[in-house]
């Protein structure tokens, strides 16, 4: 019943948002309202994105953060979109086999639940860089709402309460995290006012001193000292040396659209580019949304694109590859030629398309839970951000004096070739751990233009399933003619090569006819609870703006 209520809310919000000129979609309502207020005060989309980023660190600790990292895709009318990479890096003391024991076996939980699982955080540098390049309002004004929310507190929502209950074990492992989330030894109640005074102090320093207030000074020193006590390895010079990097998006053309997608260290842009490039070799105009034929065809392409991802892609500054080879029309035609519309190829028979990485010639030289939101302002500027602590609540470890919850992003590296990570992804040398390297990501904030005009901003959390969620949301809007609300609500599926299974959301799973057809095609369908928690801002060719938050989450779409 509650879920049904959320669906209705999501739909209502999407309808309400029609005809809007500016819009915010965020996974949590208080932070979304912060973004709308910044726009009302004359801030632009970049200002609002900065303010929402800090607010979510307070109101959405599952994934909103200052202790993690992420990506932003930024569009200004008349300019090509640009991508900002503020992904975490491996600390200088990290090494390839740091999560293996003396028998070269992965130590369970070492890359996910320990202080050594944390990469050097990038969020504060990233938000500061976004503001430095494009911000309009004073920095302090953008951080202050988060300072207030952390200091004065806010009421715990039913969704937040449930998220805490779902993560009881992780949140009780570290004594400081336990104190924060279990005041009086009980999980934070619905409606309780939750204050985070240490985080408020840290945010106050960031408000006053900019990113230097995080990467140095008292916060930096306290961060390093406390982390060391808990067994972590990030040093002050790791923090000081951290840089956010502007990168050129992956540009893909499909169905009359120009898609600008996150480049490496995200694999999202390249994987979506590969899938759409393969799809271009078929008569895709006759495909129907979520038919057995469509799911089968896309799953076959997903297998091949993820096989390439897992083999060839890694942090680009340490493992530079000629990734354009994976998007070359001739290569994608050859890859599409491997796909049969009648039979699935089992994953064990699907290989990375250029052969083993060492022999592929793709290397340019010898080697090196998440949340999404989007803002559109009245001037047409748009930002789509996905940032994360990796697992929900990161590694579950709190640095008490600074109020910072740590990420466990190191798990996104391939800790041991062939062994699956938190998301079941396997990798090899391209994504091996190395000091200062950025771990391969699936986060895919995206901006789509048509005829040089803004058409959509998309994004989603969901680890390895982010890529296919963004892809399907895009196809729903561009190919299947859905509006924003329909596109975000439509049930989803996912294949990532390994394991060899198509994950189906319950609504697809209950269609036994569909499941049987997929099985007959040789696919292995499996039911999962939900995939992704997308955001959409969509502008039709007539200029009507629709914003939609995913009914799978607790998000909201606002507009004015
Ligand atoms: N931490 C999930 C991702 O970056 O793909």
């Amino acid at each position: 019943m509650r879920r049904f209520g959320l669906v209705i809310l999501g739909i209502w919000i999407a309808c309400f948002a029609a005809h809007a000129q500016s819009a915010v979609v965020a996974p949590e309502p208080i932070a979304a309202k912060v973004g709308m207020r910044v726009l009302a005060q004359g801030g632009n989309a970049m200002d609002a994105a900065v303010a929402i980023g800090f607010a979510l660190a307070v109101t959405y600790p599952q994934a909103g953060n200052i202790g993690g990292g992420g990506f932003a895709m930024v569009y200004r009318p008349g300019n090509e979109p640009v991508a900002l990479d503020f992904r975490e890096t491996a600390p200088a003391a990290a090494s390839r086999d740091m999560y293996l024991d003396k028998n070269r076996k992965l130590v369970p939980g070492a890359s996910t639940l320990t202080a050594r699982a944390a990469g050097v955080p990038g969020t504060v540098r990233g938000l500061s860089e976004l503001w430095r390049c494009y911000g309009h309002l004073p920095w302090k004004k953008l951080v202050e709402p988060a300072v207030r929310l952390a200091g004065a507190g806010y009421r715990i929502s039913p969704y937040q309460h449930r998220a805490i209950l779902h993560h009881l074990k992780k949140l009780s492992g570290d004594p400081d995290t336990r104190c924060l989330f279990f005041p009086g030894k009980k999980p934070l109640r619905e409606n309780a006012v939750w204050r985070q005074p240490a985080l408020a102090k840290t945010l106050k320093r960031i408000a006053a001193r900019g990113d230097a207030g995080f990467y140095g000074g008292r916060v930096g020193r306290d961060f390093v000292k406390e982390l060391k006590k808990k067994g972590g390895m990030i040093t002050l010079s790791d923090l000081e040396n951290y840089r956010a990097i502007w990168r050129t998006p992956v540009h893909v053309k499909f169905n009359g659209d120009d898609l600008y997608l996150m480049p490496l260290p995200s694999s999202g842009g390249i994987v979506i580019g590969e899938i759409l490039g393969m799809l271009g070799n078929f008569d895709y105009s006759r495909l129907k949304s979520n038919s057995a034929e469509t799911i089968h065809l896309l799953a076959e392409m997903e297998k091949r694109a993820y096989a390439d991802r897992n083999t060839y892609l890694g942090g680009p500054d340490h493992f530079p590859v000629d990734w354009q080879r994976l998007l070359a029309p001739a290569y994608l035609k050859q890859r599409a030629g491997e796909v049969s519309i009648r039979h699935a190829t089992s994953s064990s028979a699907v290989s990375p398309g250029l052969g083993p990485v060492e022999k592929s010639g793709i290397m340019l030289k010898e080697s090196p839970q998440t949340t999404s939101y989007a803002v559109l302002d009245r001037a047409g500027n748009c930002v789509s951000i996905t940032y994360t602590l990796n697992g929900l609540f990161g590694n579950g470890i709190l640095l008490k004096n600074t109020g910072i919850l740590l990420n466990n992003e190191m798990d996104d590296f391939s800790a041991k070739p062939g062994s699956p990570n938190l998301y079941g992804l396997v990798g090899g040398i391209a994504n091996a751990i190395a000091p200062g390297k950025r771990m391969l990501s699936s986060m895919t904030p995206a901006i789509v233009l048509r005829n040089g005009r803004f058409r959509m901003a998309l994004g989603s959390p969901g680890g390895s399933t982010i890529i296919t969620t963004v892809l399907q949301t895009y196809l729903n809007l561009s190919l299947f003619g859905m509006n924003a609300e329909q596109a975000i609500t439509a049930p989803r599926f996912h294949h990532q090569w390994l394991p060899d299974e198509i994950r189906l959301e319950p609504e697809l799973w209950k269609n036994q006819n569909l499941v049987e057809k997929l099985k007959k095609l040789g696919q292995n369908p499996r039911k999962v609870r939900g995939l992704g928690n997308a955001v959409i801002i969509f502008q039709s060719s007539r200029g009507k703006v629709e914003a939609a938050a995913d009914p799978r989450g607790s998000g909201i779409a606002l507009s004015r």
Side-chain angles (χ1 to χ4, degrees):
M1 189 62 204
R2 180 170 266 165
R3 184 164 169 78
F4 180 69
L6 280 176
V7 174
I8 295 295
L9 178 70
I11 291 170
W12 178 81
I13 288 161
C15 296
F16 170 74
H19 302 291
Q21 290 303 303
S22 57
V24 168
V25 191
E28 189 286 316
I30 301 172
K33 285 179 199 152
V34 166
M36 284 310 280
R37 262 199 306 278
V38 167
L39 293 177
Q41 287 162 355
N44 61 20
M46 296 65 142
D47 290 322
V50 170
I52 294 168
F54 282 114
L56 285 172
V58 181
T59 61
Y60 195 69
Q62 296 97 309
N65 69 82
I66 55 173
F71 303 128
M73 190 64 71
V74 182
Y75 171 67
R76 292 174 307 133
N79 298 280
E80 290 242 314
V82 285
L84 180 61
D85 162 10
F86 51 98
R87 181 72 161 162
E88 298 92 329
T89 55
S95 58
R96 198 190 60 185
D97 298 336
M98 61 187 276
Y99 300 118
L100 305 187
D101 65 16
K102 60 180 187 321
N103 300 317
R104 304 197 55 74
K105 286 218 165 87
L106 274 175
V107 179
S111 65
T112 51
L113 294 172
T114 68
R116 276 158 59 88
V120 183
T123 295
V124 178
R125 200 74 100 201
L127 296 179
S128 155
E129 180 67 10
L130 182 60
W131 173 79
R132 192 183 66 75
C133 292
Y134 300 118
H136 176 59
L137 293 184
W139 168 259
K140 208 168 166 197
K141 220 177 162 74
L142 307 180
V143 189
E144 261 166 5
V147 175
R148 270 198 304 277
L149 284 164
Y154 64 93
R155 287 192 187 279
I156 294 290
S157 68
Y159 182 85
Q160 196 80 280
H161 175 67
R162 282 199 303 277
I164 294 167
L165 293 184
H166 275 136
H167 292 83
L168 278 182
K169 199 162 162 217
K170 187 189 261 190
L171 296 174
S172 6
D174 174 71
D176 298 322
T177 310
R178 198 160 57 227
C179 274
L180 186 65
F181 286 91
F182 302 89
K185 304 202 167 146
K186 295 227 171 73
L188 281 163
R189 280 180 296 105
E190 257 182 66
N191 227 18
V193 175
W194 191 37
R195 296 188 183 84
Q196 302 170 74
L199 182 59
K201 256 200 237 162
T202 295
L203 288 164
K204 215 168 175 176
R205 284 183 178 270
I206 296 169
R209 297 191 52 219
D211 54 349
F214 179 89
Y215 291 92
R218 180 174 301 173
V219 172
R221 282 195 303 276
D222 276 359
F223 180 105
V224 169
K225 202 163 127 195
E226 246 191 301
L227 183 69
K228 193 171 173 194
K229 268 198 213 146
K230 296 191 177 197
M233 59 200 317
I234 298 171
T235 62
L236 201 52
S237 69
D238 284 326
L239 289 179
E240 285 164 353
N241 291 335
Y242 182 84
R243 294 286 170 269
I245 300 174
W246 288 102
R247 301 196 188 266
T248 307
V250 174
H251 179 191
V252 173
K253 287 178 182 291
F254 184 81
N255 200 34
D257 293 323
D258 287 279
L259 292 90
Y260 292 85
L261 303 162
M262 197 65 209
L264 291 170
S266 171
S267 57
I270 297 168
V271 171
I272 290 182
E274 276 202 45
I275 295 169
L276 292 178
M278 284 185 249
L279 194 55
N281 287 281
F282 290 80
D283 180 10
Y284 58 77
S285 62
R286 51 175 201 85
L287 292 177
K288 298 209 167 36
S289 159
N290 280 332
S291 68
E293 183 191 12
T294 302
I295 294 176
H296 167 74
L297 198 60
L298 285 171
E300 287 303 293
M301 293 167 184
E302 287 168 11
K303 280 178 199 172
R304 287 161 175 88
Y306 274 84
D308 288 350
R309 173 206 190 274
N310 293 4
T311 309
Y312 305 123
L313 305 183
D317 307 318
H318 286 69
F319 197 89
V321 291
D322 183 7
W323 54 264
Q324 283 90 344
R325 283 187 58 196
L326 299 172
L327 299 187
Y331 174 71
L332 293 171
K333 191 169 176 195
Q334 169 213 316
R335 257 341 218 165
E338 298 168 12
V339 172
S340 159
I341 56 169
R342 286 188 195 85
H343 302 287
T345 319
S346 84
S347 290
S348 56
V350 171
S351 310
L354 300 173
V357 64
E358 297 88 344
K359 296 188 181 155
S360 64
I362 199 169
M363 288 145 75
L364 289 177
K365 48 177 151 131
E366 288 301 316
S367 345
Q369 249 293 341
T370 311
T371 187
S372 277
Y373 60 96
V375 187
L376 174 72
D377 68 22
R378 281 171 188 254
N381 300 302
C382 185
V383 182
S384 172
I385 288 191
T386 307
Y387 76 153
T388 184
L389 292 167
N390 193 25
L392 287 179
F393 301 102
N395 61 6
I397 296 175
L398 180 80
L399 300 181
K400 185 175 70 170
N401 291 334
T402 53
I404 297 168
L405 204 53
L406 287 171
N407 69 78
N408 56 358
E409 217 73 64
M410 293 292 284
D411 188 65
D412 274 351
F413 278 118
S414 169
K416 183 179 175 196
S419 289
N421 73 359
L422 202 59
Y423 302 105
L425 289 167
V426 291
I429 58 166
N431 191 30
I433 304 172
K437 188 174 174 181
R438 282 156 146 88
M439 52 296 277
L440 188 61
S441 172
S442 300
M443 293 186 287
T444 316
I447 287 190
V448 179
L449 309 184
R450 184 171 276 190
N451 300 325
R453 291 185 58 211
F454 173 79
R455 188 157 160 79
M456 52 183 106
L458 305 170
S460 178
S464 57
T465 69
I466 292 172
I467 302 173
T468 50
T469 293
V470 171
L471 172 73
Q472 286 167 79
T473 309
Y474 163 71
L475 290 175
N476 289 345
L477 290 164
S478 178
L479 193 58
F480 300 130
M482 297 184 192
N483 63 27
E485 165 222 322
Q486 292 163 335
I488 212 158
T489 308
R492 300 183 183 130
F493 60 91
H494 172 78
H495 202 304
Q496 60 179 44
W497 179 41
L498 299 172
D500 190 355
E501 61 184 23
I502 301 185
R503 300 177 203 175
L504 298 178
E505 286 198 323
E507 217 174 303
L508 294 177
W509 181 261
K510 76 179 182 216
N511 179 349
Q512 275 309 303
N513 192 21
L514 173 79
V515 172
E516 284 313 313
K517 276 189 184 164
L518 288 172
K519 282 185 183 162
K520 273 202 189 118
L521 285 161
Q523 303 286 2
N524 305 311
R526 178 169 78 85
K527 182 182 172 188
V528 290
R529 237 167 44 131
L531 293 166
N533 183 11
V535 295
I536 297 179
I537 298 178
F538 176 63
Q539 186 160 28
S540 71
S541 42
R542 276 188 259 136
K544 184 175 122 181
V545 173
E546 297 174 25
D550 203 320
R552 294 163 185 80
S554 63
I556 188 169
L558 300 171
S559 59
R560 59 192 280 274

